[in-house]
Each structure stands twice: as C-alpha cells, then as structure tokens.
Amino acid sequence: MKGLKQVVVAITLLISSLTFGQAKFKVALDAGHGDHDFGAVYHGHIEKNIALAVVLKVGKILEKNSGIEVIYTRKNDVFVDLIERANIANRADANIFVSIHCNANKNTEASGCETYVMGMSKNASNLEAARKENKVVLLEKDYEQKYKGFDPKSPETLIGLTMMQEEFLDNSIALAGTIQREFIDIGKKSRGVKQAPFMVLHKAYMPRVLIEMGFISNPKEGAILDSEEGQNEIAQSIANAIIAYKKENYGANDSDNIVKPSQKVEEVKVVETPVQKPTTTPTEVKKPETKPEVKPEVTSGVVFKVQLSASSKKLDLVPSNFNGLSNISMSSEGTLYKYMYGQTSSYDEAKRLMQEARGKGYTSAFVIAFKDGKKVTVQEALKQ
Ligand SMILES: [Zn+2]
C-alpha cells in the first residue's frame, strides 16, 4: 500500500506541476555546423547560415509558447563540438533534441527532405548522410582522444562504442514522422523517416532527430532554402511538428500556436480557384480504366484513408503516378492537393493499407480519418 501511495503522490505532483505550468517542455535546437565549418556549400548557398537562420526562426515561434522552453546549441556563427552540442541538451535536461541541416549530393537533381533517427543502417545513402555530418569531428581539436574508437569516415564504428539507447527510438520516430508530415503538408517532397548513425544524435540522451531540410546542391531547392520565405515556411513546419509532439506527449496548453499552410493561404487570399472545391472533403475520383466499377463513396460514418503525399501539382489518379497503387483519391486545400490511398471503415484495415503504401515507397504514409465527410483526428474517429 505504501508503494501505491507514493505513486499517487508522484502522479499528483506531476499533474499539478503540469497544470501550473512549472514543467516546461524543453526543446534543444541545434543549428548544424558554424564558423570555419561551413557544412555543404553549393551555388553560393552555405549550410551553416541556412541551418542557423531556420533554427532562430523555429526558436522564435516556440518561444511564444508559454509551455515551451528553447535551448540553443548556438545562436550565432560559432563552432561547437558535436559532443558539446549533445551535452548542452543533456545538461538542460531537454525533452527533445532537434538538429537541423541541409543535404547535398553530387547529383544536383537529388531533392526532398528527410528526417533521421539514430540507429544502424545498411542503406548506402543513409550512411553517406551520416558520414557527411560526422566528418565535422575532424575539425575538432584532439578528436582522436575525444571520440576514441570512432572513425568518422565509417559511421558503422559508432555502433560498437556503447549500447544504443533504444528507449528513445519510438519517440524519436514519432517526432520524425510528425516533422515529415508537416513538410508534406507544405508541398515538400518527402524522402521519409530514416535511420543512420549520427554522432551528434548518439550523444544526446533524449528523443532526438536530425532534419535534412532539402538539398542545397539542387539549384531550385537551394534557392528556396536560402530565401526568407522558404525559411519561414520550413521553420513554421518544424515548429508545428514540435508543438504537435508536445501536445501528444506532454499535454496541451493555451498557447499551442500551430499555424497550418491552409490558414496562411486564407490570410493572403489566393484568388486562384482550385479545380476541386476548396474544402477538406475528400473527393472520390474515377478509378483506372481496367476497373470500371466505382465504389460508392462512404459519406456517413467514419472512414479511414491513408495519406500518401501532398503537392501543389495536380496528378492524374492512375496507378503509374502512385507507385502502382490504385484506389487513389484526392482532396484539395487551398492550392494544395492531398493524395490518399484506400478507403475503409476499419482502423485495422487502414493500418494494413498504410503498411502496404509504405512498402511501395511512401515511407511516411499515415492514416487519416473522416467523419461524415469531414476530416477529424484518428483519435476522434476511434471514439465512434
Ligand atoms: Zn550538415
């Protein structure tokens, strides 16, 4: 009984501290690179500057939230060791660690954003990303002593050093998934949630992610990443994801200021009328010729679908445009088209469809729900 009493007291204390706002959700923001470490440089775009600009914008949004405290690993153009970046977050007892970077590739066509969680990978491109970010340690003094047994050129050597902190993996993946979904919402190309051994993540003892916001080596993406507007948009997405994660795991508060792109569209009053009526109501679209029978649209009750992607481009709903998936529907929000796969009243079936979509390359596909034709949260739908 004494044990139970202690638990009750602990829970009461926790609830009261949350209620009275004493326990703030602490976010450690890490702008990659700095000073003599420029990160990737292409076409005059410099990774260290873009990472810092976006981090400061994310921080500014989050600081308006009374439930959040922001910790920065750097706020100006200075060099910070990878271990020290993680330690700043560790000392502050941050709830999450978010490291922000830009991708680069010799193939200047490569594009899209991806979010990494810590872990082993056999995938060559994931390992390359980790190698690129890890090699920063070569610029640090006494790196051989500091990172004993670790060869930045082979990220695999990181795994043998200590046990992986698997307990953070689920939460890290949840955070990474939320970030990627926010990117999809603003029409970014998602390369998905990935796993690779990054030193800076390895040393942070909390749910941790590393965002590659896009390819600085791609002339078009590089220009967006280096623009005020592009940075504002991506910073808002990252902030949205962090606030959504906080709400999900630590509870909501009055100043949870998530601003969605559709709201912004309304503010600037875009005149261009989308082809579909500008509501969130999903529109069942004709299936490919081979299957002429069109299932009657379920308009009443709860319907689950799997959101594959969102884009400002209107695509024909044929399997060849969706990695072979049929039964695709589309909804439009402002100037953004969302593409969805399947339609079912069973949540289990929806999860199966999601796995199928992920298997087809839509690695950040997720289940969405509608009630009587209106978009609702999955939690809300499951209450029915
Ligand atoms: Zn970087």
Side-chain angles (χ1 to χ4, degrees):
M1 275 318 271
K2 199 179 165 219
L4 181 68
K5 221 174 186 176
Q6 278 168 342
V7 171
V8 171
V9 169
I11 290 172
T12 312
L13 280 174
L14 180 70
I15 290 171
S16 59
S17 69
L18 287 174
T19 313
F20 296 110
Q22 283 150 356
K24 284 199 180 189
F25 180 70
K26 293 182 191 170
V27 179
L29 295 178
D30 175 44
H33 314 277
D35 194 38
H36 58 285
D37 167 21
F38 280 57
V41 179
Y42 279 81
H43 320 294
H45 308 306
I46 302 168
E47 183 184 356
K48 66 166 185 174
N49 295 343
I50 296 171
L52 181 61
V54 173
V55 155
L56 295 176
K57 286 173 188 294
V58 174
K60 210 170 160 193
I61 297 168
L62 296 180
E63 280 165 358
K64 287 188 200 138
N65 190 310
S66 61
I68 294 179
E69 182 184 332
V70 184
I71 296 109
Y72 301 86
T73 59
R74 68 179 181 102
K75 285 189 95 170
N76 38 47
D77 190 19
V78 292
F79 184 77
V80 185
D81 293 1
L82 287 187
I83 288 187
E84 180 55 15
R85 289 169 189 265
N87 279 343
I88 289 170
N90 293 337
R91 283 195 298 266
D93 209 10
N95 293 98
I96 55 170
F97 179 79
V98 180
S99 187
I100 293 180
H101 293 256
C102 302
N103 224 331
N105 199 298
K106 281 183 208 113
N107 168 15
T108 56
E109 304 262 287
S111 67
C113 39
E114 54 200 23
T115 302
Y116 281 91
V117 300
M118 177 64 201
M120 200 42 221
S121 174
K122 288 197 170 78
N123 181 292
S125 101
N126 294 11
L127 287 173
E128 185 48 39
R131 199 171 293 128
K132 183 170 68 71
E133 303 296 1
N134 287 338
K135 75 169 188 232
V136 171
V137 305
L138 297 173
L139 300 174
E140 297 178 19
K141 273 186 226 129
D142 315 320
Y143 88 89
E144 275 150 321
Q145 272 122 52
K146 269 198 306 196
Y147 302 92
K148 235 183 197 135
F150 168 64
D151 175 4
K153 290 187 191 104
S154 44
E156 301 88 327
T157 54
L158 189 52
I159 301 303
L161 292 183
T162 54
M163 285 290 288
M164 299 274 293
Q165 294 96 33
E166 290 293 335
E167 65 262 40
F168 305 124
L169 192 57
D170 278 356
N171 282 325
S172 301
I173 292 172
L175 175 59
T178 311
I179 291 166
Q180 286 301 121
R181 283 198 289 280
E182 287 291 335
F183 287 161
I184 291 171
D185 273 356
I186 55 167
K188 297 257 177 222
K189 178 184 160 193
S190 168
R191 298 165 65 92
V193 172
K194 298 182 171 184
Q195 196 165 30
F198 288 91
M199 176 57 88
V200 72
L201 296 183
H202 174 64
K203 292 284 179 183
Y205 303 124
M206 63 217 50
R208 55 251 157 101
V209 298
L210 186 144
I211 304 170
E212 298 281 7
M213 299 184 287
F215 285 79
I216 207 173
S217 46
N218 177 309
K220 208 177 142 195
E221 262 186 21
I224 293 172
L225 286 167
D226 218 350
S227 73
E228 182 75 17
E229 199 189 344
Q231 289 170 0
N232 283 338
E233 194 178 44
I234 206 157
Q236 184 67 58
S237 307
I238 295 169
N240 283 351
I242 291 171
I243 295 166
Y245 176 89
K246 183 207 83 135
K247 278 172 79 174
E248 183 87 19
N249 295 280
Y250 294 83
N253 63 287
D254 293 343
S255 58
D256 284 340
N257 44 338
I258 293 181
V259 179
K260 286 289 183 181
S262 52
Q263 287 165 255
K264 279 189 273 176
V265 167
E266 271 167 27
E267 274 165 32
V268 296
K269 288 226 167 61
V270 174
V271 213
E272 188 191 343
T273 322
V275 182
Q276 305 290 333
K277 52 181 180 339
T279 64
T280 53
T281 317
T283 321
E284 186 70 31
V285 186
K286 251 188 275 159
K287 284 200 216 163
E289 247 72 270
T290 43
K291 287 181 188 167
E293 80 286 359
V294 175
K295 250 190 243 164
E297 190 181 352
V298 185
T299 47
S300 65
V302 166
V303 174
F304 296 100
K305 293 184 174 198
V306 176
Q307 185 167 319
L308 301 175
S309 59
S311 165
S312 52
K313 224 162 85 184
K314 193 165 178 243
L315 298 169
D316 285 336
L317 304 180
V318 292
S320 56
N321 279 340
F322 296 93
N323 297 353
L325 294 170
S326 55
N327 198 8
I328 301 293
S329 54
M330 182 182 75
S331 73
S332 58
E333 278 174 30
T335 53
L336 198 68
Y337 300 100
K338 293 189 174 180
Y339 297 97
M340 294 157 292
Y341 169 54
Q343 174 173 315
T344 172
S345 58
S346 152
Y347 183 54
D348 286 336
E349 173 64 7
K351 282 194 287 189
R352 194 194 63 75
L353 292 171
M354 180 185 76
Q355 289 309 333
E356 196 186 330
R358 288 185 175 178
K360 292 269 187 183
Y362 291 97
T363 48
S364 46
F366 57 99
V367 175
I368 54 171
F370 298 89
K371 191 179 171 251
D372 301 328
K374 269 185 78 178
K375 185 136 184 266
V376 295
T377 65
V378 170
Q379 272 170 324
E380 225 170 294
L382 289 173
K383 275 186 218 149
Q384 305 297 314

